[in-house]
Amino acid sequence: MPPNEPSSRSLPTLHAFFAPGGILASSALPYEYRPGQLEMAKSVERALEERRHLIVEAGTGTGKTLAYLLPALRTGRRVIISTGTKALQDQLYLRDIPFLESLLGELRVCYMKGRSNYLCRHKLVTLTTHPVLSGLEEIDQFHKISEWEKETETGDRAELAGIPEASALWSRLDARSEACLGQNCPDYQRCFITEMRRKAQETDIVIVNHHLFFADLAVRQQASGAPDAGVLPEAGAVIFDEAHELEEVASSYFGLSVSNARFEDLVRDTEAMLRKSASYASPENTAILTAAQNLRDRARMFFAQLPMSGDGRQGGREPFDNREEFLETQGDLYLSVKNHLVRLDAALDQSRGEDEAPALRKRVVNLRTELEFLMESTSGNMVYWLERRVHGTDASAAGGRGGAGALRQSRTTFLQATPIDVSGLLDEQLFQRFPTVVLTSATLTVQGSFEHIRRRLGLTNARELVVPSHYRYQEQALLYLPPEMPDPRAAEFQQSAARCIQRVLEITRGRAFCLFTSYAQMRDLYERLLPVLDYSILLHGTAPRNVLLQQFRETPNAVLFGTASFWQGVDVQGEALSCVIIDRLPFAVPNDPVVAARMRFIEESGGKPFFDYQVPSAVISLKQGFGRLIRSLEDRGVLVLLDPRIRQMRYGQTFLASLPPYRITSTITDVQAFFE
């Protein structure tokens, strides 16, 4: 369906659906009329009708999902709905859409994930005819995937049980675009990505996540509007749920990243193509193999020489401000990598009858173009930086013989460029491209104003709406600000924090999230409290997030220690979560290369980096963290912030004025009374 073609489907009016005595009231859901929900639905419908942009802060419990879904369905044009997480994407498609269909009849809705979530049938056929598998585990995974491929209709790995999240075999079989043969693929008509595109063209609502949306937008930008670029269909509007995440997601996709792993993967895939070639030992193939192996050697030397501090055993992010100095000393090595990319491209051009050669050449050209930009560009709106990620497993825990703490580690080094300011890019690529963009989240305002999010995203012309939460925060929640806590930068803070957390958890009988702003602080307090707490402590990083959340729900009186990913997108209703403790105000790390560059940019533009950027960003993060506690009208609980700066510093009032109307106390006896 073209994006602006009216749908002949007749759907109920918003009033008939949401009002007392309406369709929603007669459904199986526990119903309570929410004026804010209907107000939001009307605002979304008006924005879609008038082709205007809209920004809505809808407090937790508003029912914002239905408030944008029904207007989107009623518009008669295709609408893309983008969520911040796959969890919310699943909730929309697997829970909210079926619920609407039970009331309205069948709806034309599809669900799209990133390409790495789908199986590439051509890769599976290739691996079947030329199996290169490592060990019994990979052989077992290969058989499971092969059997599943015969029956799956979507190719979505979420259907596939028993394959580890970090499966190396899956990464060789997924449908990511870098290795895609496109319409030249012999399995193109049977391709799961092709089928996903077909379905999307026939639907009214396309549900995606922010990462897929901006990956698609970036591909289209780089392809200068080529018709085959991207996987998403044309649409008349986009609705972003959890829109507070847009700046960071957009920054990652409008930037560039080249890693040693990309070079290794390129050479590995080239070698795999040659191994199955009928003319493996031909002069052309020998030239390709030599060029690939030489490129691998030069790339390894290049990444080993990048100026990262430390001994290489720890991960981290560092600015790469001295690119010119690096090129003066290591320029020959950089040029050698570029030249060997050219030689591999030329060698692949001579390949005869190899289906994968054109896709490999495309990867070679992309690597060379991106590496040149990262090393030579002088763009004033980019910050250039290096990151090392350390991947390791405990060898002793895995049955190894290395003794306690022995690790098998691998390191990936990334050379990156990130836009300092994405507002102009978003204005051009998003807000000017789509007639209607709706941004919504429970956390978009600072002191009731959208100014911060508007400025960061370049949203100059949009209507605004704030819908208060449906919850009774004065009755349901208590915010405890413990007195006499030291400054979080003081040496004695961790000891005081441990005492306070222990006291609060004794009152709440566990049943808490303890959220931290860094792994180091989390580990330190975990080690201090583990010997003295009588409750099970679950530690972020010891298992996948969904596994830890399931364990938390199933373990009586559990306590979960978490960092960044537990601050948002987590929904635990009921008494299992009766307390959220946050160690300190979540200011962005000022020496992070991207944060530092943005603060410099604001200062050079005449602004105040701390008050214009760090404080508003931290306010939104704090609202997200506290938002984990009250998830239904029946939930009750205590919020704890250990950072005294919220009371002592002038900017603390900005935080307090931005939070929901919690009852606030500095007396521990009030916490006790709350639970009695």
Side-chain angles (χ1 to χ4, degrees):
M1 182 186 72
N4 296 308
E5 182 179 312
S7 171
S8 59
R9 179 71 186 275
S10 176
L11 291 168
T13 65
L14 301 182
H15 189 270
F17 187 84
F18 290 107
I23 294 171
L24 191 56
S26 63
S27 74
L29 280 184
Y31 174 77
E32 187 171 347
Y33 172 59
R34 305 174 193 182
Q37 184 180 42
L38 180 54
E39 183 185 10
M40 176 177 171
K42 288 178 177 177
S43 293
V44 173
E45 183 156 276
R46 192 180 313 119
L48 290 165
E49 287 173 350
E50 298 177 2
R51 290 168 166 73
R52 294 282 303 272
H53 301 321
L54 172 69
I55 183 167
V56 184
E57 180 173 84
T60 312
T62 302
K64 69 177 183 298
T65 306
L66 293 180
Y68 62 68
L69 270 176
L70 186 58
L73 287 162
R74 282 174 47 81
T75 187
R77 292 175 289 144
R78 183 180 299 117
V79 177
I80 294 172
I81 296 176
S82 180
T83 70
T85 60
K86 286 182 185 177
L88 182 53
Q89 200 181 356
D90 287 341
Q91 177 187 307
L92 274 169
Y93 189 69
L94 301 175
R95 191 183 77 184
D96 297 323
I97 293 298
F99 170 72
L100 274 177
E101 287 185 319
S102 72
L103 303 176
L104 307 176
E106 186 177 354
L107 303 172
R108 300 196 303 178
V109 179
C110 80
Y111 177 109
M112 300 178 78
K113 297 181 184 177
R115 298 179 65 120
S116 62
N117 291 279
Y118 298 93
L119 177 69
C120 172
R121 279 182 151 141
H122 181 66
K123 288 181 181 177
L124 184 65
V125 170
T126 301
L127 196 60
T128 303
T129 53
H130 297 85
V132 183
L133 300 167
S134 303
L136 294 174
E137 186 179 2
E138 274 204 1
I139 293 171
D140 179 57
Q141 290 178 20
F142 175 73
H143 288 308
K144 286 179 179 175
I145 293 170
S146 297
E147 289 304 309
W148 166 72
E149 182 271 337
K150 296 171 186 174
E151 59 190 38
T152 179
E153 294 182 4
T154 67
D156 183 352
R157 73 166 295 175
E159 302 173 357
L160 189 57
I163 302 296
E165 192 172 347
S167 167
L169 178 62
W170 179 266
S171 67
R172 290 160 55 195
L173 292 173
D174 68 32
R176 68 190 67 198
S177 59
E178 208 176 45
C180 181
L181 304 179
Q183 296 186 19
N184 296 322
C185 178
D187 293 288
Y188 179 76
Q189 292 304 323
R190 299 175 60 243
C191 172
F192 292 117
I193 301 296
T194 304
E195 182 58 26
M196 182 174 69
R197 279 174 163 159
R198 283 195 198 110
K199 286 180 180 175
Q201 293 292 346
E202 298 167 357
T203 57
D204 300 315
I205 301 289
V206 182
I207 299 173
V208 303
N209 58 61
H210 298 346
H211 288 274
L212 173 57
F213 182 87
F214 284 103
D216 196 81
L217 207 61
V219 165
R220 292 173 187 273
Q221 181 197 28
Q222 292 161 11
S224 302
D228 291 337
V231 296
L232 300 185
E234 292 299 311
V238 188
I239 297 172
F240 290 101
D241 201 340
E242 298 174 322
H244 60 278
E245 298 181 22
L246 288 194
E247 181 181 12
E248 292 310 311
V249 179
S251 296
S252 66
Y253 287 101
F254 287 134
L256 288 176
S257 175
V258 169
S259 68
N260 57 331
R262 277 183 66 185
F263 281 90
E264 297 286 342
D265 289 348
L266 172 65
V267 175
R268 182 202 65 204
D269 292 347
T270 303
E271 291 173 337
M273 177 191 75
L274 297 175
R275 271 195 300 270
K276 64 182 177 56
S277 172
S279 53
Y280 178 75
S282 68
E284 292 86 1
N285 283 355
T286 301
I288 294 171
L289 183 61
T290 302
Q293 291 174 342
N294 287 339
L295 174 63
R296 174 194 280 144
D297 293 340
R298 297 308 189 280
R300 285 176 176 175
M301 288 189 282
F302 172 77
F303 280 95
Q305 292 301 316
L306 288 174
M308 292 204 71
S309 60
D311 58 8
R313 288 180 293 184
Q314 301 297 320
R317 294 157 60 120
E318 301 179 18
F320 192 17
D321 298 330
N322 56 341
R323 287 180 303 150
E324 290 183 11
E325 182 183 324
F326 177 81
L327 288 174
E328 285 179 13
T329 58
Q330 302 293 340
D332 289 345
L333 185 52
Y334 163 61
L335 290 174
S336 179
V337 174
K338 284 210 309 180
N339 290 336
H340 280 84
L341 283 164
V342 172
R343 290 171 190 171
L344 179 56
D345 183 27
L348 287 166
D349 189 35
Q350 300 303 311
S351 174
R352 298 289 180 263
E354 303 298 343
D355 291 338
E356 290 90 345
L360 288 169
R361 286 192 67 199
K362 183 179 177 182
R363 289 166 67 180
V364 170
V365 171
N366 287 344
L367 260 178
R368 187 170 187 267
T369 303
E370 292 173 29
L371 185 64
E372 277 185 349
F373 182 90
L374 288 160
M375 293 304 300
E376 300 178 35
S377 168
T378 56
S379 169
N381 190 38
M382 285 285 182
V383 52
Y384 303 90
W385 53 289
L386 301 167
E387 180 179 17
R388 180 177 288 120
R389 297 179 196 166
V390 180
H391 319 277
T393 56
D394 187 329
S396 56
R401 307 176 76 175
L407 290 175
R408 290 194 294 268
Q409 286 190 338
S410 63
R411 290 184 293 275
T412 306
T413 301
F414 295 83
L415 174 56
Q416 316 225 44
T418 300
I420 296 170
D421 180 4
V422 294
S423 60
L425 286 164
L426 286 173
D427 178 45
E428 178 186 341
Q429 299 294 325
L430 177 62
F431 298 120
Q432 290 186 34
R433 180 181 162 203
F434 291 94
T436 302
V437 177
V438 177
L439 308 180
T440 186
S441 169
T443 56
L444 289 174
T445 63
V446 177
Q447 288 185 292
S449 168
F450 289 105
E451 182 187 354
H452 172 70
I453 200 81
R454 275 177 169 274
R455 187 172 62 245
R456 299 308 304 170
L457 300 182
L459 185 58
T460 55
N461 183 24
R463 292 198 176 107
E464 298 178 352
L465 176 66
V466 175
V467 181
S469 173
H470 191 53
Y471 300 146
R472 304 180 301 274
Y473 285 114
Q474 284 277 355
E475 302 168 29
Q476 292 181 256
L478 177 68
L479 173 57
Y480 174 50
L481 303 176
E484 300 176 359
M485 283 293 296
D487 188 289
R489 294 160 293 190
E492 62 271 21
F493 178 79
Q494 292 292 94
Q495 184 177 349
S496 297
R499 283 198 301 267
C500 184
I501 292 172
Q502 181 181 356
R503 180 74 182 101
V504 170
L505 293 180
E506 286 169 351
I507 295 171
T508 66
R509 293 178 289 116
R511 304 184 299 162
F513 276 6
C514 296
L515 302 179
F516 300 90
T517 53
S518 84
Y519 278 96
Q521 290 147 11
M522 177 186 73
R523 291 287 318 201
D524 178 75
L525 279 163
Y526 171 79
E527 288 165 5
R528 290 173 188 265
L529 289 165
L530 187 62
V532 298
L533 283 180
D534 293 329
Y535 310 113
S536 297
I537 304 182
L538 305 171
L539 182 66
H540 186 180
T542 57
R545 187 174 82 154
N546 62 322
V547 173
L548 288 173
L549 284 172
Q550 192 61 32
Q551 290 175 347
F552 180 83
R553 292 185 179 102
E554 294 173 354
T555 306
N557 307 98
V559 179
L560 189 147
F561 279 41
T563 60
S565 65
F566 284 94
W567 285 64
Q568 55 188 354
V570 174
D571 190 357
V572 179
Q573 296 186 19
E575 290 189 357
L577 181 58
S578 297
C579 179
V580 169
I581 301 173
I582 289 177
D583 68 333
R584 54 189 80 195
L585 294 172
F587 290 114
V589 180
N591 59 358
D592 177 89
V594 178
V595 173
R598 287 178 175 161
M599 291 176 70
R600 270 197 312 275
F601 176 78
I602 291 168
E603 188 169 26
E604 289 165 1
S605 304
K608 298 177 179 178
F610 184 72
F611 291 101
D612 294 347
Y613 178 64
Q614 281 202 295
V615 168
S617 297
V619 165
I620 289 172
S621 294
L622 184 66
K623 289 169 72 174
Q624 278 290 321
F626 278 168
R628 298 315 96 214
L629 184 65
I630 305 300
R631 308 299 299 175
S632 75
L633 283 166
E634 288 72 42
D635 282 351
R636 294 180 78 252
V638 167
L639 301 158
V640 182
L641 178 64
L642 303 177
D643 192 333
R645 293 176 295 179
I646 198 166
R647 282 282 180 87
Q648 296 170 353
M649 306 301 287
R650 180 166 60 95
Y651 58 76
Q653 187 54 41
T654 302
F655 286 87
L656 291 171
S658 302
L659 293 172
Y662 305 126
R663 197 154 46 94
I664 301 176
T665 183
S666 295
T667 308
I668 194 68
T669 52
D670 288 342
V671 178
Q672 290 174 308
F674 187 87
F675 285 101
E676 288 173 357

